[in-house]
Amino acid sequence: MSDSPAAPAAASEAAPAPGLSQESGDPAAAAAEPKLRRRLAELLAQHRLAGASAGVVRDQTLVWAAGFGFADLEAARRPDADTVYRVASIS
């Protein structure tokens, strides 16, 4: 049994965080945005993740970014542009 709070169980609880969202001036990223948001919310719910941030880079430029869920469950703090995540091996 873990002492950590449970991650959101439903995709609706993994709604985009208002503090980290960038509207895309890139037509391809703008067209893909609804699907990206849906899929990221599904992944958070499926894997019971508390939160995540995602971005799309085209030609060395960040064209879209958004935060989902919570950076800190206990404080109900949403991820923002300054959120630091602990990362394990991602290779």
Side-chain angles (χ1 to χ4, degrees):
M1 185 165 185
S2 173
D3 291 332
S4 62
S12 62
E13 293 178 31
L20 176 60
S21 186
Q22 174 183 326
E23 295 298 321
S24 176
D26 182 282
E33 182 175 3
K35 186 174 182 176
L36 286 169
R37 288 186 178 278
R38 267 193 315 276
R39 184 64 180 134
L40 289 164
E42 289 169 0
L43 287 169
L44 262 65
Q46 177 183 355
H47 296 284
R48 299 188 48 77
L49 300 174
S53 295
V56 174
V57 175
R58 180 188 292 274
D59 297 328
Q60 305 294 319
T61 301
L62 181 66
V63 295
W64 178 82
F68 297 83
F70 296 92
D72 182 336
L73 285 172
E74 290 180 10
R77 184 174 57 82
R78 300 290 194 156
D80 61 26
D82 298 315
T83 300
V84 176
Y85 293 93
R86 297 179 83 178
V87 178
S89 175
I90 57 173
S91 58

